[in-house]
Amino acid sequence: MEHEAQPLTHRPETVGDDLAAEAESARRGPEPAEVALVGRAVAGDRGAVSEVVRLLQDPIYRLALRMVWRPADAEDATQEILLRVVGNLASWRGEAKLLTWAYRIGVNYLLNLGRQSPQEAGQVSLDDFGQGLKDGLADEDYRGPESELLTHETRLNCSQAMLQCLARDERVAFVLSEVFGLSSAEAAWIADTTPAAYRKRLERAKKRLGNFLSAACGLANPQAFCRCSRRVEKAIDLGRVDPRRPAFATHPVTSGGRDVAEAERQMIRLHDAAAIIGGHPDYAAPQAKMDAIAGLLSSGRFPLLD
């Protein structure tokens, strides 16, 4: 799992007495170096602003990617989230680690995003998605050009699509806890809800994905009907996989992060919903989009940089 965020300061009014200990364990603020960095950024130090963006860009991009499915849409969302983070840096009071606070801004943006994925627009449930997997499932593994690469691409694309069949609040809960490995107190603060309500969302998401994977996915259950290598041709026919430009299997990763092969090895060892959904490389935010953000930060839109 990615384990990207750090503990945060929780707002006591959102936590019941029975959760006070858990909330207190999360009540640790940022490191002094982080406070100093943000202080320099708010004072107008362009290098500090660039460093804030550099620290946040990859984890925010991975959050956006899990929520919106397609890299191009995730790039757009990441840009908007990072600009909102920079624009609101002066309001950060150290109530949480900087990344945790940025996740909160990102989750709010992504939950209210007007653009919908195809599954959302079509209100595709996991049951519908499972039935769709049976249509066009080949009798044998794909043996065409770049078979291993395209099988990876099909798996990665499919696990992204599964998430889109969850309601957005459930998707957020699953990603924060099961993919990023955050505590329920931390994730509840990010999602701006109570830990109790958050855990209910998480349990719904885990149950739905667990049931689906057990029934449909050969990676989770060897007795299930679907195999990634037998879905490749259909995925190409449907335009979900582009053999000329794979979106996920060749995506750049963070320096020192997991690549496709390592992520898949970890997934195969665990064989559960969190491992399968989380079995993606440690994707890096595309440099072209980061360069565009740097240009916007120099455009005069942000008073703290004047």
Side-chain angles (χ1 to χ4, degrees):
M1 292 188 292
E2 297 187 25
H3 300 285
E4 291 175 345
Q6 300 294 324
L8 63 120
T9 300
H10 215 291
R11 296 175 299 174
E13 67 271 21
T14 66
V15 184
D17 292 340
D18 59 328
L19 297 170
E22 182 180 13
E24 183 60 33
S25 71
R27 198 182 300 276
R28 294 192 295 273
E31 298 296 327
E34 199 169 64
V35 175
L37 175 65
V38 173
R40 294 198 305 273
V42 171
D45 183 331
R46 293 180 182 275
V49 174
S50 296
E51 180 64 10
V52 167
V53 171
R54 187 193 67 78
L55 289 171
L56 299 178
Q57 64 189 35
D58 288 357
I60 291 296
Y61 176 71
R62 290 193 283 268
L63 170 66
L65 189 60
R66 294 317 187 100
M67 289 298 294
V68 303
W69 187 13
R70 297 300 192 190
D73 293 335
E75 291 174 29
D76 291 342
T78 299
Q79 174 174 298
E80 186 58 38
I81 292 166
L82 289 174
L83 292 176
R84 291 181 181 209
V85 167
V86 170
N88 287 282
L89 271 180
S91 70
W92 182 62
R93 298 289 181 263
E95 70 270 36
K97 296 285 188 180
L98 181 61
L99 176 57
T100 307
W101 178 75
Y103 276 150
R104 183 176 169 109
I105 292 174
V107 163
N108 180 68
Y109 175 79
L110 292 162
L111 285 174
N112 293 288
L113 189 63
R115 179 185 298 163
Q116 293 183 316
S117 69
Q119 277 88 342
E120 288 180 321
Q123 298 183 322
V124 177
S125 68
L126 282 167
D127 288 341
D128 295 334
F129 187 66
Q131 288 299 315
L133 290 178
K134 293 179 179 179
D135 178 26
L137 190 67
D139 294 331
E140 297 181 353
D141 293 349
Y142 179 72
R143 301 296 185 190
E146 300 284 2
S147 59
E148 183 177 6
L149 175 69
L150 295 179
T151 297
H152 286 319
E153 180 71 9
T154 300
R155 176 183 70 79
L156 295 168
N157 186 70
C158 186
S159 64
Q160 284 285 91
M162 290 176 206
L163 280 174
Q164 304 304 308
C165 297
L166 297 175
R168 288 188 183 183
D169 60 349
E170 294 174 358
R171 199 182 318 156
V172 162
F174 190 89
V175 169
L176 293 178
S177 289
E178 299 301 299
V179 178
F180 288 3
L182 306 185
S183 70
S184 60
E186 193 172 13
W189 186 86
I190 291 168
D192 196 22
T193 189
T194 65
Y198 174 84
R199 284 195 290 267
K200 288 181 181 179
R201 294 176 189 174
L202 176 60
E203 286 307 310
R204 287 198 304 268
K206 289 170 64 176
K207 182 176 181 180
R208 290 176 183 174
L209 282 172
N211 289 343
F212 168 79
L213 288 165
S214 180
C217 179
L219 293 169
N221 175 15
Q223 305 305 313
F225 67 86
C226 194
R227 300 291 184 276
C228 304
S229 56
R230 299 184 181 183
R231 280 290 303 175
V232 174
E233 286 188 287
K234 187 64 174 181
I236 292 172
D237 289 343
L238 292 172
R240 294 174 183 168
V241 167
D242 184 346
R244 299 163 301 176
R245 298 173 59 188
F248 300 106
T250 60
H251 195 295
V253 300
T254 298
S255 177
R258 296 180 305 171
D259 59 16
V260 172
E262 184 178 352
E264 190 157 288
R265 285 194 295 270
Q266 292 179 3
M267 178 199 70
I268 291 170
R269 284 201 302 271
L270 297 174
H271 282 290
D272 63 5
I276 290 168
I277 302 297
H280 281 239
D282 295 326
Y283 298 124
Q287 189 57 49
K289 184 60 69 173
M290 296 307 102
D291 291 342
I293 292 172
L296 287 170
L297 292 175
S298 301
S299 67
R301 173 177 170 180
F302 298 93
L304 66 85
L305 297 178
D306 290 345

